[in-house]
Amino acid sequence: MRGLTDGRTPGVTRKSVQATSTAVAVFVALGVSLSGCGAGGTGARDEGPAHADAVGGAASSSPVASPSKVPDRVDAVRLVKADPKVSAEVKRELKPCVADEYPVDVSYGELTGGTAEDVVVNVLTCSDGVGVGSYVYREKGGAYQNVFKAEEPPVYAEIDRGDLVVSKQVYEKGDPVSSPSGTNVITYRWSSDRFTEAYRTHNDYSNAAGNVPTPVPES
């Protein structure tokens, strides 16, 4: 029925099937012959380089993972003591508190867009941890250069999302060291090879809560 619907006679269809069967048989025999040659070693060797090239091409197109950027640790104490921009008063404060433990906080991060991590150093007092000096060092030509300093205590510098944030506590007459009256927070950004002030905020603190007498519990 298929031959009639296709417009062909049964005889023509049978001849086509026979011809197709003969062609398939020849193709299978040829495949077996080639497999026999491959078993002898030449076939595998012929296809080997092509497979290697394909693998090599895939490997070369794969992205190469770059090593994570780990900042080089610096000797902050030596850096500050050798810095001519640091005042003599701060250098006098920079002495061990216990054994060889110095009162310095060190932070690493991106501030100036250089090829290496920038270094922020805060020098504190041993007795109460008050910041007496904050500095930013930028690596250039294999050496660190002082590109920022603040030495009006109490002061503390931090890295916040690529900005330099400096906090300065404000004391009024009679304020104890532990209870400042407020804080000025100044944000700096690197521009034209220097830090410029972007904006600042001021916070006033209430000392009322600490001065309220505690009631005597009833017996």
Side-chain angles (χ1 to χ4, degrees), residues 32-96:
V32 172
S33 175
L34 291 176
S35 299
C37 294
T42 57
R45 190 163 56 248
D46 291 341
E47 294 189 4
H51 178 70
D53 292 342
V55 174
S60 61
S61 61
S62 301
V64 178
S66 59
S68 58
K69 190 176 182 180
V70 179
D72 295 331
R73 293 297 185 262
V74 301
D75 187 339
V77 174
R78 179 178 297 179
L79 192 64
V80 171
K81 286 186 173 182
D83 186 356
K85 293 184 178 181
V86 177
S87 66
E89 291 78 9
V90 172
K91 291 182 178 180
R92 281 196 297 267
E93 288 286 348
L94 191 54
K95 54 188 177 182

Side-chain angles (χ1 to χ4, degrees), residues 148 150-156 166-170 182-186 188 200 202:
F148 178 88
E151 295 181 332
E152 300 82 17
V155 62
Y156 198 88
V166 179
S167 300
K168 296 182 178 181
Q169 294 177 330
V170 178
T183 302
N184 291 324
V185 181
I186 309 170
Y188 296 90
R200 68 170 59 201
H202 176 78

Side-chain angles (χ1 to χ4, degrees), residues 16-215:
S16 300
V17 172
Q18 290 175 355
T20 303
S21 300
T22 302
V24 171
V26 172
F27 179 76
V28 171
L30 181 59
V32 172
S33 175
L34 291 176
S35 299
C37 294
T42 57
R45 190 163 56 248
D46 291 341
E47 294 189 4
H51 178 70
D53 292 342
V55 174
S60 61
S61 61
S62 301
V64 178
S66 59
S68 58
K69 190 176 182 180
V70 179
D72 295 331
R73 293 297 185 262
V74 301
D75 187 339
V77 174
R78 179 178 297 179
L79 192 64
V80 171
K81 286 186 173 182
D83 186 356
K85 293 184 178 181
V86 177
S87 66
E89 291 78 9
V90 172
K91 291 182 178 180
R92 281 196 297 267
E93 288 286 348
L94 191 54
K95 54 188 177 182
C97 297
V98 178
D100 59 348
E101 295 293 329
Y102 285 83
V104 294
D105 289 347
V106 186
S107 302
Y108 301 86
E110 297 283 350
L111 284 174
T112 66
T115 57
E117 298 279 355
D118 300 303
V119 184
V120 177
V121 181
N122 288 286
V123 180
L124 315 173
T125 60
C126 290
S127 57
D128 45 27
V130 172
V132 295
S134 299
Y135 311 93
V136 177
Y137 293 93
R138 184 174 191 255
E139 192 275 335
K140 186 176 181 180
Y144 283 98
Q145 298 179 348
N146 186 330
V147 292
F148 178 88
K149 74 171 182 176
E151 295 181 332
E152 300 82 17
V155 62
Y156 198 88
E158 299 175 282
I159 301 173
D160 184 10
R161 291 168 292 183
D163 292 337
L164 176 65
V165 179
V166 179
S167 300
K168 296 182 178 181
Q169 294 177 330
V170 178
Y171 289 89
E172 294 182 358
K173 187 176 180 179
D175 288 342
V177 175
S178 59
S179 300
S181 295
T183 302
N184 291 324
V185 181
I186 309 170
T187 300
Y188 296 90
R189 287 178 181 163
W190 183 257
S191 178
S192 302
D193 292 333
R194 64 189 182 93
F195 283 104
T196 57
E197 181 177 331
Y199 51 89
R200 68 170 59 201
T201 59
H202 176 78
N203 303 313
D204 283 326
Y205 302 141
S206 173
N207 295 325
N211 298 326
V212 175
T214 304

